[in-house]
Amino acid sequence: MLRMIFALILSAAIVLLTGPKFIAWLRKLKLGQTIYELGPQSHQKKQGTPIMGGLIIALGCVAAFVFCGAKLGSWDHMLALLFVALGSMAVGFGDDWIKMVKKRHEGLTPWQKIIGQVAVCVAFSTYCYLHPDVGSKVIVPFVNAEWDLGLFYIPLLSLTVLFMVNSANLQDGLDGILSSVTAVGCIGWAAIALLAATSAKNTTVALFALALCGACIGFLRFNHYPATVFMGDTGSMFIGGAVVGMAMLLRQPFLLLLIGFTMVMSSVSVILQRYYFKLTRKLTGTPKRLFKMSPIHHHFEMCGMKETSIVLMYAIVTAVLSAVAVLSVVL
């Protein structure tokens, strides 16, 4: 347990120590965020805020994880977690790099993103399917049962990885929101891993969860409102890959609906908004919107809530649902 607490402290310290110089370097290179005119008008003042801060989240998390986990003797799970997190991050980094450095507003093309993400999703899902400690069975919460997905495991869980990585990316729309819910949620994942620990492999997941928690806490020093740096697609996709990776190695993908509820709802709100718009246009000729703006955190913003209040609300919701998720393992 001391090793895990040290991983949390070490990852936070790395981010806090490297953050100021890294942000200054991003400013020097003029790698700033472009704020779209269609977004909330209050966000226009964020124009030019440095982006790609997710690199220091990844640095803190990976360095602390590897340093503290080297003696656990579970390199297969360690490498798998690093693969899905860093592989997802690579796609986000490519998108950020092209937008900021190459000055191509659209970043990676949709097909480039899909190909990169699918490659990571399928490779990681195949690893889980073939690994004797994971396999094709997933745990059904609260009923103490397992569901064997058989060969359907690979396509279904690949879609889960794809969905969660992009959900994390969609949620990263307010200062500190994704950092906050991830820090809170990772405590839940660590608790679940420790409660279900039957080998060093689950302990490895708990260690990774707390290393990511510490990195996000450290990043909040620079990312809380008003943010001096954004994590960008680089950071949000790293977090998305990390979170879904932990859930799958623990055989608990259903708990993503609880611990990752706010991420899931970010994607669901976008999907509902799009199809409601199309449906009302087709039926009445006058398109209507279900929300004032999507993802749904922008709807709350347009209703008059402050960014800080929304972030706090999301963190509290994540804390409550994470506690429920932990109870599902205990009961």
Side-chain angles (χ1 to χ4, degrees):
M1 190 64 188
L2 288 176
R3 185 192 301 269
M4 296 177 190
I5 295 173
F6 181 69
L8 186 152
I9 295 172
L10 179 60
S11 61
I14 291 171
V15 173
L16 288 170
L17 290 172
T18 58
K21 289 187 177 180
F22 185 76
I23 294 170
W25 178 70
L26 290 175
R27 288 189 182 279
K28 183 178 180 180
L29 294 179
K30 297 181 180 180
L31 300 181
Q33 175 72 57
T34 299
I35 304 298
Y36 303 120
E37 293 182 0
L38 294 177
Q41 287 301 307
S42 61
H43 287 209
Q44 293 303 314
K45 61 185 178 183
K46 302 180 182 183
Q47 186 83 18
T49 301
I51 202 170
M52 290 197 289
L55 288 173
I56 56 176
I57 296 178
L59 173 63
C61 175
V62 173
F65 178 54
V66 173
F67 180 80
C68 296
K71 294 183 180 180
L72 288 178
S74 183
W75 281 101
D76 52 347
H77 271 22
M78 285 185 69
L79 293 174
L81 281 169
L82 292 175
F83 171 78
V84 69
L86 294 174
S88 299
M89 185 189 80
V91 178
F93 176 80
D95 197 42
D96 284 339
W97 182 264
I98 290 173
K99 288 177 182 176
M100 298 297 106
V101 179
K102 300 297 182 181
K103 304 302 180 183
R104 277 173 44 191
H105 180 69
E106 69 278 4
L108 292 173
T109 66
W111 277 110
Q112 288 173 328
K113 289 181 184 178
I114 290 173
I115 291 171
Q117 289 181 338
V118 167
V120 174
C121 296
V122 173
F124 183 71
S125 298
T126 302
Y127 163 83
C128 291
Y129 176 77
L130 296 175
H131 198 286
D133 290 336
V134 185
S136 61
K137 294 180 180 179
V138 298
I139 297 172
V140 181
F142 300 106
V143 297
N144 194 28
E146 294 181 340
W147 183 13
D148 192 346
L149 299 176
L151 288 175
F152 289 103
Y153 179 94
I154 294 177
L156 288 175
L157 272 297
S158 294
L159 288 173
T160 301
V161 178
L162 187 66
F163 178 81
M164 289 306 301
V165 169
N166 286 290
S167 294
N169 183 231
L170 284 172
Q171 188 172 36
D172 183 35
L174 300 179
D175 294 357
I177 191 168
L178 186 56
S179 306
S180 298
V181 299
T182 302
V184 173
C186 278
I187 296 174
W189 288 118
I192 290 167
L194 290 173
L195 287 169
T198 55
S199 67
K201 292 181 172 58
N202 279 4
T203 305
T204 298
V205 176
L207 182 69
F208 183 74
L210 291 179
L212 179 56
C213 176
C216 287
I217 290 173
F219 189 68
L220 275 169
R221 166 65 181 80
F222 314 107
N223 188 232
H224 72 83
Y225 183 86
T228 56
V229 67
F230 297 145
M231 66 172 67
D233 291 358
T234 303
S236 62
M237 291 189 178
F238 174 82
I239 287 173
V243 168
V244 73
M246 291 187 289
M248 287 173 62
L249 290 180
L250 293 172
R251 301 194 300 134
Q252 295 277 13
F254 284 113
L255 292 186
L256 288 166
L257 296 173
L258 292 174
I259 302 177
F261 176 77
T262 59
M263 296 183 192
V264 172
M265 286 310 300
S266 294
S267 281
V268 170
S269 65
V270 170
I271 294 168
L272 290 175
Q273 181 86 317
R274 180 172 299 174
Y275 282 97
Y276 186 78
F277 185 88
K278 291 182 178 180
L279 181 62
T280 53
R281 181 173 59 185
K282 182 177 180 180
L283 294 178
T284 67
T286 304
K288 297 180 180 179
R289 288 178 171 82
L290 188 60
F291 307 106
K292 291 185 177 182
M293 188 176 290
S294 65
I296 196 169
H297 51 260
H298 288 318
H299 170 79
F300 295 132
E301 203 176 2
M302 298 295 284
C303 289
M305 288 186 69
K306 296 180 180 179
E307 282 194 50
T308 50
S309 298
I310 298 169
V311 172
L312 179 60
M313 177 178 69
Y314 272 49
I316 292 173
V317 168
T318 302
V320 172
L321 293 179
S322 294
V324 174
V326 173
L327 286 175
S328 75
V329 177
V330 176
L331 297 177

